[in-house]
Amino acid sequence: MALDSKHPLNSLGFAKPPAETRVVVAMSGGVDSSVVAAQLKEEGYDVVGVTLQLYDHGAALAKKGACCAGRDIHDARRVAEEMGFPHYVLDYENVFKDAVIDEFADSYLAGATPVPCIRCNERVKFKDLLNTAKDLDADCMATGHYIQRKAGNHGAELHSAADANRDQSYFLFSTTPEQLSYLRFPLGHLASKAETRALAAKYGLAVADKPDSQDICFVPDGNYASVIEKLRPGAAEPGEIVDMEGNVLGTHNGVLHYTVGQRRGLGIGGLSEPLYVVKLDVEAHRVIVGPKELLATRKIPVREINWLGDEPFTARTEWHMGVKVRSTRPPRDAIIRPISETEAEVELVVAEEGVSPGQACVFYDDASSRIFGGGWIWRGY
């Protein structure tokens, strides 16, 4: 938007007063999104809070440690009342089930290790909710994610958060350029979560000391298997635990109880060396184990790539960047070789352990904090 001599750009990047700038804030009920809403309201913006009900409200009330539960809806509503802006709760249960939960269950049963929070951002929050924000005539939508949006020569760019410990770029790689132009992330520049909580205390928010969510919102206590068994009755087919030569070492109660790289809880003792899950053969109901070195991978096939670079992804035969193959790991040096606009082979300079289908592979610029997108790991070599 061009500069207006009477109204320089406000903090959200619009050439008009905050009071004339409507912003929809996606409110999970946690401290982060509550601070975003309170801060924008204090700055004089026309704030509208929206919270998504993503699964059964009654069941959610009894659940702690996860986002978007019944208690969180109550907390978001309370913040809106305290700060004096409208707040809406939207029923997205069916959308969430179709777009996120069902794929999570099917991917897990296929031996993958899915990341449903990425799909939720991609298919629900930054799609349907973003469209709802536009329907409300909002100029933009703001969230409490720890990531930065910066103005570049070719449009808005996605950058890592200032606080590396809070950075959520791994979960937001699939944000498209069109979505990025409409989104705002007011917390991305903060140096620590302590600053966020200090702001919450400053605004007198009841959620100032609320614990951070730890689990996937529809997976109580991180117990994926119990959720899968409810979603897909009969999925826990028993089978064999075998080594790389096919020798039977033990039995299991369902492949869905295991993930690639797992060592603990295999139930096989008396071995001369530690063994890890190196592969899941879903069709044969087999868990294949082996020594740790078999987990090391250098070549990773990636598809469904969302590219955020300034030139086309296929404009080069190779891109030299850092890549993350797990949310908890730092970027590693890699060579990305495009196959098409949405597929590539990623070659790690140094092999990584535990690279698993269903995880994301996110591209980072080695020379800056910029994220160039990423894709989904879909099978191992």
Side-chain angles (χ1 to χ4, degrees), residues 27-365:
M27 300 183 68
S28 68
V31 63
D32 299 325
S33 56
S34 295
V35 165
V36 168
Q39 185 174 47
L40 293 175
K41 177 63 178 178
E42 187 185 64
E43 291 177 11
Y45 286 97
D46 178 11
V47 174
V48 178
V50 175
T51 300
L52 303 183
Q53 181 179 318
L54 298 179
Y55 53 91
D56 182 72
H57 194 182
L61 283 170
K63 183 175 180 299
K64 298 179 180 180
C67 69
C68 310
R71 174 54 55 185
D72 295 329
I73 292 173
H74 169 80
D75 288 343
R77 182 181 290 118
R78 182 177 176 182
V79 168
E81 290 174 353
E82 291 172 349
M83 298 302 299
F85 59 83
H87 174 259
Y88 302 97
V89 178
L90 304 181
D91 183 355
Y92 274 43
E93 282 190 38
N94 291 335
V95 172
F96 187 66
K97 183 180 184 301
D98 293 342
V100 180
I101 295 180
D102 283 343
E103 183 188 83
F104 169 83
D106 293 338
S107 296
Y108 214 87
L109 288 176
T113 308
V115 191
C117 296
I118 298 176
R119 290 302 196 191
C120 182
N121 289 328
E122 173 188 315
R123 297 174 174 177
V124 181
K125 293 177 182 175
F126 291 174
K127 183 182 177 185
D128 293 332
L129 178 55
L130 190 146
N131 288 334
T132 297
K134 291 180 177 179
D135 289 341
L136 291 170
D137 294 325
D139 294 283
C140 64
M141 186 174 91
T143 79
H145 289 106
Y146 286 87
I147 195 166
Q148 298 187 79
R149 173 191 182 276
K150 297 183 179 182
N153 294 329
H154 299 273
E157 298 176 353
L158 200 62
H159 287 254
S160 300
D163 180 3
N165 294 322
R166 306 296 304 179
D167 177 59
Q168 292 176 289
S169 57
Y170 183 86
F171 300 99
L172 297 168
F173 80 86
S174 62
T175 306
T176 67
E178 293 75 22
Q179 292 167 342
L180 190 56
S181 68
Y182 191 71
L183 290 164
R184 301 294 187 273
F185 309 106
L187 302 184
H189 69 287
L190 298 182
S192 70
K193 183 61 177 270
E195 288 190 39
T196 306
R197 293 196 181 278
L199 286 171
K202 170 189 171 184
Y203 300 130
L205 303 182
V207 296
D209 297 319
K210 185 175 180 177
D212 292 338
S213 59
Q214 300 295 328
D215 299 327
I216 295 171
C217 64
F218 59 92
V219 182
D221 304 318
N223 190 343
Y224 294 6
S226 66
V227 172
I228 301 298
E229 288 178 296
K230 290 178 182 177
L231 293 170
R232 300 289 186 270
E237 292 260 355
E240 299 171 334
I241 300 175
V242 302
D243 62 19
M244 296 300 292
E245 286 72 43
N247 299 310
V248 178
L249 304 179
T251 60
H252 64 77
N253 293 320
V255 171
L256 62 86
H257 294 284
Y258 300 85
T259 57
V260 172
Q262 179 177 336
R263 176 187 172 188
R264 298 180 183 276
L266 298 183
I268 47 177
L271 302 171
S272 59
E273 63 176 339
L275 294 180
Y276 298 76
V277 176
V278 296
K279 186 178 179 182
L280 299 172
D281 187 340
V282 178
E283 292 186 2
H285 307 297
R286 279 187 158 189
V287 174
I288 302 166
V289 298
K292 189 176 183 180
E293 55 264 26
L294 291 180
L295 291 171
T297 302
R298 284 193 62 192
K299 292 186 176 180
I300 308 169
V302 179
R303 63 183 179 183
E304 291 185 63
I305 289 171
N306 177 59
W307 179 246
L308 295 173
D310 297 332
E311 57 183 307
F313 183 50
T314 54
R316 304 186 192 180
T317 57
E318 291 184 352
W319 295 87
H320 292 252
M321 293 186 178
V323 303
K324 268 191 183 185
V325 294
R326 292 271 186 172
S327 63
T328 55
R329 297 179 184 176
R332 307 294 191 189
D333 290 340
I335 302 168
I336 304 167
R337 298 186 178 93
I339 296 171
S340 69
E341 295 289 348
T342 58
E343 291 183 286
E345 177 191 83
V346 174
E347 183 176 354
L348 300 170
V349 173
V350 178
E352 281 273 301
E353 295 176 354
V355 176
S356 176
Q359 295 284 305
C361 180
V362 183
F363 309 154
Y364 294 80
D365 182 10

